[in-house]
């Protein structure tokens, strides 16, 4: 009996590592396909269509996205919806994995100002549920593979193990949504095994074949008297960006609801607005990870006004895309928005650029997520450990700025972006 129990435990741990590896490999695969599609669409075709290519591409993209949503429904689901289902039901339906994957890729191909995390997490949760259903005869523990795989996927997507570990553990009943309830030590080991498998597979495939998705890491930061004097103003500027994101999100959700069940119309409108903004401010398009690296090379040649305007327009375009059918995540875009604003403020103040990026980005992301601790765990993917105090203070300021009552968010480990009542029109197949 004991031998059989030990065997099941070993099999479970092996399955957890394998589940993490599958999650990491699937994340890598979809990002590889995404990068290939973007390269073809935006590096090869523009030479044949001239400077107005973004307008053509985004309008056509809106038409394709809208028609796809009209036929198959509003996929992928928001990251928060996926995590809520996994937490409540312990599983996620996998009968439309192909539909979800294509729906996740389409807005990214056409330059949408969104991140890939929503579609990737839903697909991973579905795959892990499928595996768990087929292995549950070995014990009840195998039902946990869905939550384990979701955690591993988040770690791989953001290359941020602490964020992937903590996000599913946040106690939503806490006052500020930042209370992390640790599981038993045995489960911690299981989660860490899954994360190790995911990051190992993700990084190995990236090393062998390229691809992946990650923001540049800023390693050097100076914290002097000048920087400390500017900390509060920088945090307030970033917090204003986070406040605007939440307000734009609420207003655009209402506008989407007014238009109603017209997925094609909404997606084309979003595509046209996205393209026009992209023609004037090119860095406002796409998820933001590649654009962050490019911006780091050229920001000194740009004016502070253009840098700040780029961040603020990004703050508008991301909820526009999400609410008008270009469905995806908001993490990468809002991080890019904070970085762009931070560069602009560095130019205006003369303070250390990385310090400005830390303060502005943490305040902006904190204003969107409303959870300082989770904000800092996420931002470790691009900012140094030395900036942790700066990020904590700025994120706390950003999350403390009160929102208009109609646009207040509910606490969620990943920052839930929904107003209290359901205001967005439903889209059916």
């Amino acid at each position: 009996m004991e031998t059989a129990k030990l065997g099941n435990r070993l099999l479970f741990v092996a399955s957890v590592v394998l589940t993490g590896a599958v999650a990491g490999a699937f994340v890598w695969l979809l990002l590889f396909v995404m990068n290939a599609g973007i390269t073809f669409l935006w590096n090869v075709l523009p030479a044949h269509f001239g400077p107005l290519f973004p307008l053509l591409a985004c309008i056509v993209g809106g038409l394709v996205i809208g028609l796809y949503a009209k036929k198959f429904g509003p996929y992928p689901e928001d990251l928060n919806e996926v995590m809520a289902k996994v937490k409540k039901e312990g599983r996620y339906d996998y009968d439309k994995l192909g539909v979800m994957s294509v729906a996740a890729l389409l807005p990214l191909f056409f330059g949408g100002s969104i991140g890939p995390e929503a579609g990737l997490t839903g697909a991973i949760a579905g795959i892990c549920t499928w595996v768990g259903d087929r292995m549950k005869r070995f014990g009840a523990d195998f039902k946990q593979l869905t939550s384990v795989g979701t955690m591993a996927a988040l770690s791989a997507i953001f290359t941020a193990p602490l964020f992937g570990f903590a996000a599913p553990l946040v106690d939503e009943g806490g006052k500020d949504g930042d209370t992390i309830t640790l599981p038993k030590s045995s489960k911690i080991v299981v989660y860490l095994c899954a994360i190790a498998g995911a990051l190992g597979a993700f990084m190995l495939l990236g090393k062998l074949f390229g691809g992946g998705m990650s923001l540049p890491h800023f390693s050097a930061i100076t914290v002097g008297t000048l920087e400390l004097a500017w900390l509060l103003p920088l945090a307030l500027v970033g917090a204003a960006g986070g406040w605007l994101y939440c307000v734009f999100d609420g207003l655009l959700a209402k506008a989407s609801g007014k238009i109603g069940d017209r997925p094609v119309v909404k997606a084309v409108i979003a595509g046209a607005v996205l393209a026009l903004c992209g023609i004037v401010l090119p860095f406002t398009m796409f998820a933001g990870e590649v654009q962050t690296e490019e911006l780091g090379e050229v920001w000194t040649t740009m004016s502070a006004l253009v840098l700040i305007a780029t961040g603020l327009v990004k703050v508008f375009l991301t909820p526009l895309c999400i609410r008008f059918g270009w469905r995806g995540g908001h993490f990468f875009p809002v991080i890019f928005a904070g970085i762009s604003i931070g560069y602009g403020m560095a130019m205006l103040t003369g303070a250390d650029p990385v310090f400005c990026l830390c303060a502005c980005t943490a305040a902006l992301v904190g204003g969107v997520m409303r959870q300082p601790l989770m904000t800092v765990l996420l931002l470790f993917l691009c900012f140094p450990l030395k900036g942790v105090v700066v990020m904590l203070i700025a994120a706390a300021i950003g999350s403390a700025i009160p929102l208009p009552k109609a646009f207040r968010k509910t606490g969620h480990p990943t920052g839930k972006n929904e107003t209290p009542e359901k205001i967005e029109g439903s889209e059916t197949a």
Side-chain angles (χ1 to χ4, degrees):
M1 183 66 71
E2 288 298 322
T3 304
K5 188 175 181 180
L6 178 62
N8 274 357
R9 288 294 177 186
L10 292 175
L11 178 61
F12 177 64
V13 171
S15 299
V16 164
V17 175
L18 181 60
T19 296
V22 169
F26 190 82
V27 168
W28 174 86
L29 177 62
L30 256 67
L31 293 179
F32 185 85
V33 173
M34 177 195 78
N35 290 329
I38 290 173
T39 299
F40 173 75
L41 190 61
W42 294 95
N43 291 356
V44 177
L45 295 183
H48 303 286
F49 292 95
L52 293 180
F53 175 75
L55 188 61
L56 173 64
C58 291
I59 290 177
V60 171
L63 185 63
V64 172
I65 292 165
L67 290 172
Y68 192 86
K70 189 173 183 179
K71 180 174 177 59
F72 295 106
Y75 291 100
E77 287 190 304
D78 182 78
L79 174 60
N80 303 294
E81 295 172 1
V82 173
M83 292 187 68
K85 285 185 179 180
V86 170
K87 194 167 186 177
K88 181 180 179 181
E89 303 171 11
R91 58 183 292 108
Y92 191 78
D93 291 338
Y94 46 81
D95 56 332
K96 292 187 177 180
L97 279 177
V99 169
M100 284 191 291
S101 299
V102 173
L105 288 171
L106 286 177
L108 298 166
F109 285 158
F110 289 104
S113 182
I114 57 167
E117 61 269 18
L120 286 172
T121 307
I124 292 297
I127 290 173
C128 294
T129 301
W130 182 86
V131 173
D133 283 350
R134 277 143 189 80
M135 301 192 72
K136 61 185 177 183
R137 67 179 181 274
F138 293 104
D141 285 343
F142 284 90
K143 294 180 181 179
Q144 300 173 23
L145 289 180
T146 302
S147 60
V148 166
T150 303
M151 179 183 291
L154 287 174
S155 297
I157 292 166
F158 297 112
T159 323
L162 290 176
F163 179 78
F165 177 78
L169 305 180
V170 172
D171 180 8
E172 295 183 53
K175 184 176 180 181
D176 60 359
D178 253 356
T179 304
I180 295 177
T181 305
L182 288 176
K184 295 178 181 179
S185 58
S186 59
K187 287 189 177 181
I188 292 177
V189 173
V190 167
Y191 290 158
L192 292 177
C193 287
I195 290 171
L199 289 177
F202 183 80
M203 292 178 176
L204 178 61
L205 289 169
K207 204 85 169 173
L208 292 174
F209 304 104
M213 185 176 191
S214 61
L215 292 162
H217 189 79
F218 303 93
S219 56
I221 181 174
T222 299
V223 184
T225 305
L226 175 64
E227 285 73 28
L228 292 175
W230 278 105
L231 176 56
L232 180 58
L234 290 169
L236 289 174
V237 170
W243 185 89
L244 283 173
Y245 179 96
C246 296
V247 171
F248 284 144
D249 183 53
L251 292 174
L252 290 165
K254 290 183 178 180
S256 176
K258 293 289 186 183
I259 295 173
D261 186 16
R262 295 182 177 88
V264 178
V265 171
K266 289 192 282 191
V268 170
I269 290 173
V273 175
L274 174 69
L276 292 173
C277 292
I279 290 172
V280 178
L281 298 169
F283 283 113
T284 57
M285 297 182 68
F286 302 100
E289 87 292 350
V290 173
Q291 289 68 38
T292 299
E293 188 172 347
E294 294 173 350
L295 188 64
E297 297 172 355
V298 303
W299 72 274
T300 54
T301 66
M302 302 168 66
S303 71
L305 179 62
V306 170
L307 288 165
I308 294 172
T310 295
L312 294 179
V313 171
K314 190 82 170 176
V315 159
F316 167 76
L317 284 178
T318 298
L320 172 71
C321 287
I322 293 172
R323 293 298 187 178
F324 276 58
W326 292 52
R327 301 171 70 88
H330 62 276
F331 287 112
F332 284 104
V334 297
I335 291 172
F336 172 84
I339 288 173
S340 184
I341 293 171
Y343 276 133
M345 293 305 297
M347 192 164 285
L348 288 176
T349 63
D352 177 64
V354 178
F355 180 91
C356 294
L357 301 188
C358 275
C360 289
T361 306
L364 195 155
V365 178
V368 174
M369 293 180 66
R370 318 303 290 181
Q371 296 178 19
L373 178 57
M374 294 304 300
T375 296
V376 174
L377 292 179
L378 174 63
L379 292 181
F380 277 142
L381 76 107
C382 53
F383 294 122
L385 183 61
K386 189 178 177 181
V388 64
V389 176
V390 173
M391 289 190 287
L392 273 172
I393 293 172
I397 292 172
S399 63
I401 300 295
L403 295 170
K405 187 175 181 180
F407 303 135
R408 287 176 189 168
K409 318 294 192 226
T410 56
H412 191 279
T414 54
K416 191 168 184 176
N417 293 314
E418 292 182 4
T419 47
E421 67 275 2
K422 185 173 179 62
I423 51 183
E424 185 177 2
S426 61
E427 294 176 4
T428 56

